[in-house]
Coordinates of all heavy atoms in Angstrom, one line a residue:
M21 N 0.8 -1.2 0.0 CA 0.0 0.0 0.0 C 0.9 1.2 0.0 O 1.8 1.3 0.8 CB -0.9 0.0 1.3 CG -1.8 1.2 1.3 SD -3.0 1.1 2.7 CE -1.9 1.3 4.1
I22 N 0.6 2.2 -0.9 CA 1.3 3.4 -0.9 C 0.3 4.6 -0.7 O -0.7 4.7 -1.4 CB 2.0 3.6 -2.2 CG1 3.0 2.5 -2.5 CG2 2.7 5.0 -2.3 CD1 3.8 2.6 -3.8
I23 N 0.6 5.4 0.3 CA -0.2 6.6 0.5 C 0.7 7.8 0.2 O 1.8 7.9 0.5 CB -0.6 6.7 2.0 CG1 -1.4 5.5 2.4 CG2 -1.3 8.0 2.3 CD1 -1.7 5.3 3.9
R24 N 0.1 8.7 -0.6 CA 0.9 9.9 -1.0 C 0.4 11.2 -0.3 O -0.7 11.4 -0.1 CB 0.8 10.0 -2.5 CG 1.5 8.9 -3.3 CD 1.7 9.1 -4.7 NE 2.3 8.0 -5.3 CZ 3.6 7.8 -5.4 NH1 4.4 8.7 -4.9 NH2 4.2 6.7 -5.9
G25 N 1.4 12.0 0.0 CA 1.2 13.2 0.6 C 0.9 14.4 -0.4 O 0.8 14.1 -1.6
D26 N 0.9 15.6 0.1 CA 0.5 16.7 -0.7 C 1.5 16.9 -1.9 O 1.2 17.5 -2.9 CB 0.6 18.0 0.1 CG -0.6 18.1 1.1 OD1 -1.5 17.3 0.9 OD2 -0.5 18.9 2.0
F27 N 2.8 16.5 -1.7 CA 3.7 16.6 -2.8 C 4.0 15.4 -3.6 O 4.9 15.2 -4.3 CB 5.1 17.1 -2.1 CG 5.2 18.6 -2.3 CD1 4.5 19.5 -1.6 CD2 6.1 19.1 -3.3 CE1 4.6 20.9 -1.8 CE2 6.3 20.5 -3.5 CZ 5.5 21.3 -2.8
G28 N 3.1 14.4 -3.4 CA 3.2 13.1 -4.1 C 4.2 12.2 -3.4 O 4.6 11.2 -3.9
E29 N 4.7 12.6 -2.2 CA 5.7 11.8 -1.5 C 5.0 10.5 -1.0 O 3.9 10.6 -0.5 CB 6.4 12.6 -0.4 CG 5.6 12.9 0.8 CD 4.7 14.0 0.8 OE1 4.3 14.5 -0.3 OE2 4.3 14.5 1.9
P30 N 5.7 9.4 -1.2 CA 5.1 8.1 -0.8 C 5.3 7.8 0.7 O 6.4 8.0 1.2 CB 5.8 7.1 -1.7 CG 7.1 7.7 -2.1 CD 7.0 9.2 -1.9
Y31 N 4.3 7.2 1.3 CA 4.4 6.6 2.6 C 3.9 5.2 2.6 O 3.0 4.9 1.8 CB 3.6 7.4 3.6 CG 4.0 8.9 3.8 CD1 3.3 9.8 3.1 CD2 5.1 9.2 4.5 CE1 3.7 11.2 3.2 CE2 5.5 10.6 4.7 CZ 4.7 11.5 4.0 OH 5.1 12.8 4.1
C32 N 4.5 4.3 3.5 CA 4.1 2.9 3.5 C 2.8 2.7 4.2 O 2.2 1.7 4.1 CB 5.2 2.1 4.1 SG 5.4 2.4 5.9
S33 N 2.4 3.6 5.1 CA 1.2 3.4 5.9 C 0.6 4.7 6.3 O 1.2 5.8 6.2 CB 1.6 2.6 7.2 OG 2.4 3.4 8.0
Q34 N -0.7 4.6 6.8 CA -1.4 5.8 7.3 C -0.6 6.4 8.4 O -0.4 7.6 8.6 CB -2.8 5.4 7.8 CG -3.7 6.5 8.1 CD -4.0 7.3 6.8 OE1 -4.2 6.8 5.8 NE2 -4.0 8.6 6.9
S35 N 0.0 5.6 9.3 CA 0.7 6.1 10.4 C 2.0 6.9 10.0 O 2.3 7.9 10.5 CB 1.1 4.9 11.4 OG 2.4 4.9 11.7
C36 N 2.7 6.4 9.0 CA 3.9 7.1 8.5 C 3.4 8.4 7.8 O 4.1 9.5 7.9 CB 4.7 6.3 7.5 SG 5.8 5.2 8.3
H37 N 2.3 8.4 7.2 CA 1.7 9.6 6.5 C 1.5 10.7 7.6 O 1.8 11.8 7.4 CB 0.5 9.2 5.8 CG -0.2 10.4 5.0 ND1 -1.5 10.6 5.1 CD2 0.4 11.3 4.3 CE1 -1.8 11.7 4.4 NE2 -0.7 12.1 3.9
E38 N 0.8 10.2 8.7 CA 0.5 11.2 9.8 C 1.8 11.7 10.4 O 1.9 12.9 10.7 CB -0.3 10.5 10.9 CG -1.8 10.5 10.5 CD -2.6 9.6 11.4 OE1 -2.2 9.4 12.6 OE2 -3.6 9.1 10.9
K39 N 2.8 10.8 10.6 CA 4.0 11.2 11.2 C 4.7 12.3 10.3 O 5.3 13.2 10.8 CB 5.0 10.0 11.4 CG 4.7 9.3 12.7 CD 5.8 8.3 12.9 CE 5.2 6.9 13.3 NZ 6.1 5.8 13.0
G40 N 4.7 12.0 9.0 CA 5.3 12.9 8.0 C 4.6 14.3 8.1 O 5.3 15.3 8.1
G41 N 3.3 14.4 8.2 CA 2.6 15.6 8.3 C 3.0 16.4 9.6 O 3.3 17.6 9.6
K42 N 3.1 15.7 10.7 CA 3.5 16.3 12.0 C 4.9 16.8 11.9 O 5.2 17.9 12.4 CB 3.3 15.3 13.1 CG 1.9 15.1 13.5 CD 1.8 14.2 14.7 CE 0.3 13.8 15.0 NZ 0.2 12.4 15.4
Y43 N 5.8 16.0 11.3 CA 7.2 16.4 11.1 C 7.3 17.7 10.4 O 8.0 18.6 10.8 CB 7.8 15.2 10.4 CG 9.3 15.3 10.3 CD1 10.1 14.8 11.3 CD2 9.9 15.9 9.2 CE1 11.5 14.9 11.3 CE2 11.3 16.0 9.1 CZ 12.1 15.5 10.1 OH 13.5 15.6 10.1
A44 N 6.6 17.8 9.3 CA 6.7 19.0 8.4 C 6.1 20.2 9.2 O 6.7 21.3 9.2 CB 5.9 18.8 7.1
S45 N 5.0 20.0 9.9 CA 4.4 21.1 10.7 C 5.4 21.6 11.8 O 5.5 22.8 12.0 CB 3.1 20.7 11.4 OG 2.3 20.1 10.5
A46 N 6.1 20.6 12.4 CA 7.0 21.0 13.5 C 8.1 21.9 12.9 O 8.6 22.9 13.5 CB 7.6 19.8 14.1
V47 N 8.6 21.6 11.7 CA 9.7 22.4 11.1 C 9.1 23.8 10.7 O 9.8 24.8 11.0 CB 10.2 21.7 9.8 CG1 11.2 22.6 9.0 CG2 10.8 20.4 10.1
M48 N 7.9 23.8 10.2 CA 7.2 25.1 9.9 C 7.1 26.0 11.2 O 7.4 27.2 11.2 CB 5.8 24.9 9.4 CG 5.8 24.4 7.9 SD 6.4 25.8 6.8 CE 6.0 25.1 5.2
L49 N 6.7 25.3 12.3 CA 6.5 26.1 13.6 C 7.8 26.6 14.1 O 7.8 27.7 14.7 CB 5.9 25.1 14.6 CG 4.3 25.0 14.5 CD1 3.9 23.9 15.5 CD2 3.6 26.3 14.9
K50 N 8.9 25.9 13.8 CA 10.2 26.4 14.3 C 10.8 27.5 13.4 O 11.9 28.0 13.7 CB 11.2 25.2 14.4 CG 11.0 24.4 15.7 CD 12.0 23.4 15.8 CE 11.6 22.1 15.3 NZ 12.6 21.0 15.3
N51 N 10.0 27.9 12.4 CA 10.5 28.9 11.4 C 11.9 28.6 10.9 O 12.8 29.4 10.8 CB 10.6 30.3 12.1 CG 9.1 30.8 12.3 OD1 8.2 30.5 11.6 ND2 9.0 31.5 13.4
Q52 N 12.2 27.3 10.6 CA 13.5 26.9 10.2 C 13.8 27.5 8.8 O 13.0 27.6 7.9 CB 13.6 25.4 10.1 CG 14.0 24.8 11.4 CD 14.4 23.3 11.2 OE1 15.0 23.0 10.2 NE2 14.2 22.5 12.2
S53 N 15.1 27.8 8.6 CA 15.5 28.2 7.3 C 16.4 27.1 6.7 O 17.0 26.3 7.5 CB 16.3 29.6 7.3 OG 17.3 29.5 8.3
G54 N 16.6 27.1 5.4 CA 17.4 26.1 4.8 C 17.6 26.4 3.4 O 17.5 27.6 3.0
V55 N 18.0 25.4 2.6 CA 18.1 25.6 1.2 C 17.3 24.6 0.4 O 17.0 23.5 0.9 CB 19.6 25.4 0.6 CG1 20.5 26.6 1.1 CG2 20.2 24.1 1.0
C56 N 16.7 25.1 -0.7 CA 15.9 24.3 -1.5 C 16.7 23.0 -2.0 O 17.8 23.1 -2.4 CB 15.4 25.1 -2.7 SG 14.5 24.1 -3.9
G57 N 16.1 21.9 -1.8 CA 16.7 20.6 -2.2 C 16.9 20.4 -3.7 O 17.6 19.6 -4.1
I58 N 16.2 21.3 -4.5 CA 16.3 21.1 -5.9 C 17.2 22.2 -6.5 O 18.1 21.9 -7.2 CB 14.9 21.3 -6.6 CG1 13.8 20.5 -5.8 CG2 14.9 21.0 -8.1 CD1 13.7 19.0 -6.2
C59 N 17.0 23.5 -6.2 CA 17.8 24.5 -6.8 C 18.8 25.2 -5.9 O 19.6 26.1 -6.3 CB 16.9 25.6 -7.4 SG 16.1 26.6 -6.1
Q60 N 18.9 24.7 -4.6 CA 19.8 25.2 -3.6 C 19.6 26.7 -3.2 O 20.5 27.3 -2.6 CB 21.3 25.0 -4.0 CG 21.6 23.6 -4.6 CD 21.4 22.5 -3.6 OE1 21.8 22.7 -2.4 NE2 20.7 21.5 -3.9
K61 N 18.5 27.3 -3.5 CA 18.2 28.7 -3.2 C 17.9 28.7 -1.7 O 17.2 27.8 -1.2 CB 17.0 29.1 -4.0 CG 16.9 30.6 -4.1 CD 15.7 31.0 -5.1 CE 14.4 30.8 -4.4 NZ 13.3 31.2 -5.3
P62 N 18.3 29.7 -0.9 CA 17.9 29.8 0.5 C 16.4 29.9 0.6 O 15.8 30.7 -0.1 CB 18.6 31.0 1.0 CG 19.6 31.4 0.0 CD 19.1 30.8 -1.3
V63 N 15.8 29.2 1.6 CA 14.4 29.3 1.8 C 14.1 29.5 3.3 O 14.9 29.2 4.2 CB 13.6 28.0 1.4 CG1 13.6 27.9 -0.1 CG2 14.3 26.8 2.0
Q64 N 12.9 30.0 3.6 CA 12.5 30.2 5.0 C 11.1 29.5 5.2 O 10.2 29.8 4.5 CB 12.4 31.7 5.2 CG 11.8 32.1 6.5 CD 12.7 31.9 7.7 OE1 13.9 32.3 7.7 NE2 12.3 31.1 8.7
A65 N 11.1 28.7 6.2 CA 9.8 28.0 6.5 C 9.1 28.8 7.6 O 9.8 29.4 8.4 CB 10.1 26.6 7.0
S66 N 7.8 28.8 7.5 CA 7.1 29.5 8.6 C 5.6 29.0 8.5 O 5.0 28.8 7.5 CB 7.1 31.0 8.3 OG 6.3 31.7 9.2
M67 N 5.1 28.8 9.7 CA 3.7 28.3 9.8 C 2.7 29.5 9.6 O 1.7 29.4 8.9 CB 3.5 27.7 11.2 CG 2.2 27.0 11.3 SD 2.2 25.5 10.3 CE 1.4 24.4 11.5
Y68 N 3.0 30.6 10.2 CA 2.0 31.7 10.2 C 2.6 33.0 9.5 O 1.8 33.8 9.1 CB 1.6 32.1 11.6 CG 1.1 30.9 12.4 CD1 1.8 30.4 13.4 CD2 -0.2 30.4 12.0 CE1 1.3 29.3 14.1 CE2 -0.7 29.3 12.7 CZ 0.0 28.7 13.7 OH -0.5 27.7 14.4
G69 N 3.9 33.0 9.3 CA 4.5 34.2 8.6 C 4.6 33.9 7.1 O 3.9 33.1 6.5
T70 N 5.6 34.5 6.5 CA 5.8 34.4 5.1 C 6.7 33.2 4.9 O 7.9 33.1 5.3 CB 6.5 35.6 4.5 OG1 5.8 36.7 5.0 CG2 6.5 35.6 3.0
S71 N 6.2 32.2 4.2 CA 7.0 31.0 3.9 C 7.1 30.9 2.4 O 6.2 31.1 1.7 CB 6.3 29.8 4.5 OG 7.0 28.6 4.2
N72 N 8.4 30.6 2.0 CA 8.5 30.5 0.5 C 8.9 29.1 0.1 O 9.6 28.9 -0.9 CB 9.6 31.6 0.0 CG 10.9 31.4 0.7 OD1 11.1 30.5 1.5 ND2 11.8 32.3 0.3
C73 N 8.5 28.2 0.9 CA 8.9 26.8 0.6 C 7.9 25.8 1.2 O 7.1 26.2 2.0 CB 10.2 26.5 1.1 SG 10.4 26.5 2.9
A74 N 7.9 24.6 0.7 CA 7.2 23.5 1.3 C 8.2 22.6 2.0 O 9.4 22.6 1.6 CB 6.4 22.7 0.3
I75 N 7.8 21.8 2.9 CA 8.7 20.8 3.6 C 8.1 19.4 3.4 O 6.9 19.2 3.7 CB 8.8 21.2 5.1 CG1 9.6 22.5 5.2 CG2 9.6 20.1 5.8 CD1 9.4 23.2 6.5
V76 N 9.0 18.5 3.1 CA 8.6 17.1 2.9 C 9.6 16.3 3.7 O 10.8 16.5 3.6 CB 8.6 16.7 1.4 CG1 8.4 15.2 1.2 CG2 7.6 17.5 0.6
P77 N 9.2 15.4 4.5 CA 10.1 14.5 5.2 C 10.8 13.6 4.2 O 10.1 13.1 3.3 CB 9.3 13.7 6.2 CG 7.9 13.8 5.7 CD 7.8 15.0 4.9
Y78 N 12.1 13.4 4.3 CA 12.8 12.7 3.2 C 14.0 12.1 3.8 O 14.9 12.8 4.2 CB 13.1 13.7 2.1 CG 13.7 13.1 0.8 CD1 12.9 12.3 0.0 CD2 15.0 13.3 0.5 CE1 13.4 11.7 -1.2 CE2 15.5 12.8 -0.7 CZ 14.8 12.0 -1.5 OH 15.3 11.5 -2.7
E79 N 14.1 10.8 3.8 CA 15.3 10.0 4.3 C 15.7 10.5 5.7 O 16.9 10.7 5.9 CB 16.4 10.1 3.3 CG 16.0 9.5 2.0 CD 17.2 9.2 1.0 OE1 18.1 10.0 1.1 OE2 17.1 8.3 0.2
G80 N 14.8 10.8 6.6 CA 15.1 11.2 7.9 C 15.5 12.6 8.1 O 15.7 13.0 9.2
V81 N 15.5 13.4 7.1 CA 15.7 14.8 7.2 C 14.6 15.6 6.6 O 13.7 15.0 5.9 CB 17.1 15.3 6.6 CG1 18.2 14.7 7.3 CG2 17.1 15.0 5.1
N82 N 14.5 16.9 6.7 CA 13.5 17.6 6.0 C 14.0 18.1 4.7 O 15.1 18.7 4.6 CB 12.8 18.7 6.8 CG 13.8 19.5 7.6 OD1 14.7 20.1 7.0 ND2 13.7 19.5 8.9
L83 N 13.2 17.9 3.7 CA 13.6 18.4 2.3 C 12.8 19.7 2.1 O 11.6 19.7 2.2 CB 13.2 17.3 1.3 CG 13.3 17.7 -0.2 CD1 14.8 17.9 -0.6 CD2 12.7 16.6 -1.1
F84 N 13.5 20.8 1.9 CA 12.8 22.0 1.6 C 12.6 22.1 0.0 O 13.5 21.7 -0.7 CB 13.7 23.2 2.0 CG 13.9 23.4 3.4 CD1 14.9 22.8 4.1 CD2 13.0 24.2 4.2 CE1 15.1 22.9 5.5 CE2 13.2 24.3 5.5 CZ 14.2 23.7 6.2
I85 N 11.5 22.5 -0.4 CA 11.2 22.7 -1.8 C 10.7 24.1 -2.0 O 9.6 24.4 -1.5 CB 10.2 21.7 -2.4 CG1 10.8 20.2 -2.2 CG2 10.0 21.9 -3.8 CD1 9.8 19.1 -2.5
C86 N 11.4 25.0 -2.6 CA 11.0 26.4 -2.8 C 9.8 26.4 -3.7 O 9.6 25.5 -4.5 CB 12.2 27.3 -3.3 SG 12.5 27.1 -5.0
N87 N 9.1 27.6 -3.7 CA 7.9 27.7 -4.5 C 8.1 27.6 -6.0 O 7.2 27.2 -6.8 CB 7.2 29.0 -4.2 CG 6.7 29.0 -2.8 OD1 6.6 28.0 -2.1 ND2 6.3 30.2 -2.2
S88 N 9.4 27.9 -6.5 CA 9.6 27.8 -7.9 C 9.9 26.4 -8.3 O 9.9 26.1 -9.5 CB 10.9 28.6 -8.3 OG 11.0 29.8 -7.5
C89 N 10.2 25.5 -7.4 CA 10.6 24.1 -7.7 C 9.5 23.1 -7.4 O 9.7 21.9 -7.4 CB 11.8 23.7 -7.0 SG 13.3 24.6 -7.5
T90 N 8.2 23.6 -7.2 CA 7.1 22.7 -6.9 C 7.0 21.6 -7.9 O 6.9 20.4 -7.5 CB 5.8 23.5 -6.8 OG1 6.0 24.6 -5.9 CG2 4.7 22.7 -6.4
V91 N 7.0 21.9 -9.2 CA 6.8 20.9 -10.2 C 7.9 19.9 -10.2 O 7.7 18.7 -10.2 CB 6.7 21.6 -11.6 CG1 6.6 20.6 -12.7 CG2 5.4 22.5 -11.6
Q92 N 9.2 20.3 -10.2 CA 10.3 19.4 -10.2 C 10.3 18.5 -8.9 O 10.6 17.4 -8.9 CB 11.6 20.1 -10.2 CG 11.9 20.8 -11.5 CD 11.6 22.3 -11.4 OE1 10.5 22.7 -11.0 NE2 12.5 23.2 -11.8
G93 N 9.9 19.2 -7.8 CA 9.9 18.5 -6.5 C 8.9 17.3 -6.6 O 9.2 16.2 -6.1
K94 N 7.7 17.7 -7.1 CA 6.7 16.6 -7.1 C 7.1 15.5 -8.1 O 6.8 14.3 -7.8 CB 5.3 17.3 -7.6 CG 4.6 18.1 -6.5 CD 3.3 18.6 -7.0 CE 2.6 19.3 -5.8 NZ 1.4 20.0 -6.2
A95 N 7.7 15.8 -9.2 CA 8.1 14.8 -10.1 C 9.1 13.9 -9.5 O 9.1 12.7 -9.7 CB 8.7 15.5 -11.4
H96 N 10.1 14.5 -8.7 CA 11.1 13.7 -8.1 C 10.5 12.7 -7.0 O 10.8 11.6 -7.0 CB 12.1 14.6 -7.4 CG 13.1 13.9 -6.6 ND1 14.1 13.2 -7.2 CD2 13.3 13.8 -5.3 CE1 14.9 12.7 -6.3 NE2 14.4 13.0 -5.1
L97 N 9.6 13.3 -6.2 CA 9.0 12.5 -5.2 C 8.0 11.4 -5.7 O 7.9 10.3 -5.1 CB 8.2 13.4 -4.2 CG 9.2 14.2 -3.3 CD1 8.5 15.4 -2.7 CD2 9.9 13.4 -2.3
K98 N 7.5 11.6 -6.9 CA 6.6 10.6 -7.5 C 7.4 9.4 -7.9 O 6.8 8.3 -7.9 CB 5.9 11.3 -8.7 CG 4.5 10.9 -8.8 CD 3.8 11.6 -10.0 CE 2.5 10.9 -10.3 NZ 1.9 11.6 -11.4
S99 N 8.6 9.6 -8.2 CA 9.4 8.4 -8.7 C 10.2 7.8 -7.6 O 11.0 6.9 -7.7 CB 10.3 8.8 -9.8 OG 11.2 9.9 -9.4
Y100 N 10.1 8.4 -6.4 CA 10.8 7.9 -5.2 C 10.1 6.6 -4.7 O 8.9 6.5 -4.7 CB 10.8 8.9 -4.1 CG 11.7 8.6 -2.9 CD1 13.0 8.5 -3.1 CD2 11.1 8.6 -1.6 CE1 13.8 8.2 -2.0 CE2 11.9 8.3 -0.5 CZ 13.3 8.1 -0.7 OH 14.1 7.9 0.4
E101 N 10.9 5.6 -4.4 CA 10.3 4.3 -4.2 C 10.5 3.8 -2.7 O 10.4 2.6 -2.5 CB 10.8 3.2 -5.2 CG 10.3 3.5 -6.6 CD 10.9 2.6 -7.6 OE1 12.0 2.0 -7.4 OE2 10.2 2.5 -8.7
K102 N 10.7 4.7 -1.8 CA 10.8 4.3 -0.4 C 9.8 5.2 0.4 O 9.5 6.3 0.0 CB 12.2 4.5 0.1 CG 13.2 3.4 -0.4 CD 14.4 3.4 0.5 CE 15.5 4.2 -0.2 NZ 16.8 4.2 0.6
C103 N 9.4 4.7 1.5 CA 8.6 5.4 2.4 C 9.4 6.7 2.9 O 10.5 6.5 3.3 CB 8.1 4.6 3.6 SG 7.3 5.6 4.9
C104 N 8.8 7.9 2.8 CA 9.6 9.1 3.1 C 9.8 9.1 4.6 O 10.7 9.9 5.1 CB 8.8 10.3 2.7 SG 9.1 10.7 1.0
M105 N 9.1 8.4 5.4 CA 9.2 8.5 6.8 C 10.1 7.4 7.4 O 11.0 7.7 8.2 CB 7.8 8.4 7.5 CG 7.7 9.1 8.8 SD 8.1 10.9 8.7 CE 8.9 11.1 10.2
C106 N 9.9 6.2 7.0 CA 10.7 5.1 7.7 C 11.6 4.4 6.7 O 12.4 3.5 7.0 CB 9.7 4.0 8.3 SG 8.8 3.1 7.0
Q107 N 11.7 4.9 5.4 CA 12.7 4.4 4.4 C 12.4 3.0 4.0 O 13.3 2.3 3.5 CB 14.1 4.5 4.9 CG 14.7 5.9 4.7 CD 14.4 6.8 5.9 OE1 14.8 6.4 7.0 NE2 13.7 7.9 5.8
K108 N 11.2 2.4 4.3 CA 10.9 1.1 3.9 C 10.7 1.1 2.3 O 10.1 2.0 1.8 CB 9.6 0.6 4.5 CG 9.4 -0.9 4.5 CD 8.2 -1.2 5.3 CE 7.0 -1.4 4.5 NZ 5.8 -1.9 5.2
T109 N 11.3 0.1 1.7 CA 11.1 0.0 0.2 C 9.7 -0.3 -0.1 O 9.1 -1.2 0.4 CB 12.1 -1.0 -0.4 OG1 13.4 -0.7 0.0 CG2 12.0 -1.0 -1.9
L110 N 9.1 0.4 -1.1 CA 7.7 0.2 -1.4 C 7.6 -0.6 -2.7 O 8.4 -0.5 -3.6 CB 7.0 1.6 -1.6 CG 7.0 2.5 -0.3 CD1 6.5 3.9 -0.7 CD2 6.0 1.9 0.7
Ligands
ZN16 ZN1 14.1 25.6 -5.6
ZN17 ZN1 6.8 4.1 6.5

C-alpha cells in the first residue's frame, strides 16, 4: 500500500503519513531556514508568517522545496520508491 502526501511523496502506511505531516508542521512552527533541495536557493519555512517553501520529510531529514521548484519536486517524489518516513522500500 502506498499513501501519497501533498507533494506526491510516498508513505508505506497511514501512520507514516501522519508522522510525516506532523514532522513538516514542526519544522514550519520552528521557522527553520534552509536551502531548496532542488535549486539550492535559500528558503524560509514558517507556519504563520511568510513562507517561501514546502517541507517534505525525506530520508530522515526535511527536504525544503522552494515555490519555484514545486513541479520538479513533485516529479522527483513521485518516482521515489521508499517510504519518506521510515525508508521502507515500497
Ligand atoms: Zn528551488
Ligand atoms: Zn513508513
Side-chain angles (χ1 to χ4, degrees):
M21 181 174 68
I22 300 178
I23 298 171
R24 291 192 182 272
D26 291 345
F27 259 72
E29 75 278 21
Y31 298 100
C32 69
S33 63
Q34 192 62 44
S35 130
C36 277
H37 181 227
E38 277 168 28
K39 274 189 229 161
K42 283 186 191 142
Y43 187 86
S45 305
V47 175
M48 283 292 188
L49 277 171
K50 279 187 264 176
N51 292 326
Q52 274 196 31
S53 54
V55 290
C56 171
I58 313 277
C59 70
Q60 313 297 316
K61 199 175 80 176
V63 288
Q64 174 70 53
S66 174
M67 190 69 140
Y68 304 109
T70 312
S71 180
N72 59 2
C73 63
I75 292 161
V76 175
Y78 186 71
E79 299 191 332
V81 296
N82 44 58
L83 173 69
F84 291 91
I85 301 173
C86 79
N87 293 345
S88 326
C89 292
T90 305
V91 174
Q92 293 99 309
K94 283 186 179 168
H96 176 71
L97 289 162
K98 223 177 161 180
S99 59
Y100 189 58
E101 290 175 337
K102 282 197 267 181
C103 172
C104 276
M105 207 61 215
C106 71
Q107 280 90 57
K108 197 172 99 174
T109 304
L110 297 169

